Amino acid sequence: MTLRCCDVDYAPPGTTRTILSGVDVAFAPGTLSVVTGPTGAGKTTLLYLLAGLARPTRGEVRFGGAAVSRMTQRHREQYRRRVGILFQTPRFFSGLSVSENVALPLVVRPEIDSWETTVAGALERCGCRDLDERRPNQLSVGQRQRVGLARALVATPEVLLADEPSAHQDETANLVARLHEERDRGAVVVVTSHDPRLIDGLGIDARFRLDAGALEPW
């Protein structure tokens, strides 16, 4: 299903400062889109809106025929189960191991038979299988980002959103391969980045620039 922003404005609650203005864009399934733009342009805010973690001030975010931005809390939680999101600085539960943190999205997916096998496979794909028993405070920033990617992918999301996913990575080949895999199996993949290593190596289907609140093809 296509993920759309329909003439979306966004200002933080309690302020009149507009971060996004008139954003109108469609991200189709089986495509990989990159959003670039200067720091502070609103790229992360856009991903939050697409993930159902924030509501637009005006306009709608739609997934297929459903208006995500108008959903009740319960229905938005159901939608977010279909979304994998990699934050630039992923957060984890400090008392859980890497494997346990990665397994959390599977808690609401009872149809998955073997959590251990699924989690191990996600960690292997993301190049961090050897970190499975560590605690989050034992990880480097780059390792946390790779583990965050495994967590975003573990439940086979219909939508994958990645915020500056190469920011702390020395090499991007594995990351690019994972993004291609998700696109090729039919997911909507949206990445924010201004890393030329990533942008030049992605094989992008659509590229956009976000600046001064406006999103334009680039």
Side-chain angles (χ1 to χ4, degrees):
M1 288 187 281
T2 297
L3 181 60
R4 300 176 184 272
C5 282
C6 303
D7 201 19
V8 161
D9 292 354
Y10 180 79
T15 75
T16 58
R17 181 172 63 92
T18 300
I19 295 178
L20 301 176
S21 179
V23 173
D24 202 291
V25 63
F27 301 107
T31 63
L32 195 165
S33 302
V34 171
V35 179
T36 65
T39 300
K43 299 187 297 296
T44 299
T45 298
L46 175 63
L47 294 191
Y48 269 65
L49 291 169
L50 294 174
L53 295 171
R55 294 182 188 269
T57 307
R58 183 180 68 88
E60 289 185 347
V61 175
R62 303 187 66 85
F63 185 56
V68 174
S69 50
R70 294 187 181 183
M71 289 178 177
T72 63
Q73 179 69 21
R74 182 171 67 86
H75 286 103
R76 276 192 294 136
E77 288 174 357
Q78 292 174 349
Y79 164 70
R80 286 198 292 267
R81 294 173 189 175
R82 304 162 75 179
V83 178
I85 182 166
L86 171 60
F87 299 100
Q88 185 172 345
T89 305
R91 296 180 181 179
F92 303 105
F93 286 95
S94 60
L96 301 181
S97 69
V98 161
S99 286
E100 290 166 337
N101 271 282
V102 171
L104 289 175
L106 302 178
V107 171
V108 293
R109 298 288 298 274
E111 74 276 12
I112 295 177
D113 294 329
S114 173
W115 291 12
E116 293 84 357
T117 300
T118 303
V119 168
L123 290 170
E124 183 72 34
R125 290 170 61 206
C126 296
C128 47
R129 179 69 176 86
D130 59 328
L131 305 177
D132 57 347
E133 295 305 317
R134 294 194 193 182
R135 295 290 194 239
N137 64 1
Q138 298 175 308
L139 303 177
S140 70
V141 178
Q143 288 171 335
R144 290 174 70 89
Q145 203 166 41
R146 292 197 296 276
V147 170
L149 178 62
R151 183 176 60 184
L153 299 180
V154 71
T156 317
E158 295 174 56
V159 176
L160 175 64
L161 308 172
D163 190 14
E164 299 286 356
S166 62
H168 306 293
Q169 301 302 313
D170 293 329
E171 62 86 22
T172 61
N174 183 276
L175 171 62
V176 168
R178 302 291 76 75
L179 296 175
H180 282 173
E181 283 179 357
E182 295 306 298
R183 176 194 61 188
D184 293 347
R185 70 169 178 80
V188 175
V189 183
V190 183
V191 178
T192 69
S193 181
H194 49 326
D195 183 347
R197 299 175 306 159
L198 188 62
I199 295 170
D200 294 342
L202 265 183
I204 299 165
D205 298 299
R207 184 182 301 189
F208 302 90
R209 180 172 176 79
L210 182 60
D211 198 2
L215 184 72
E216 300 290 344
W218 183 46

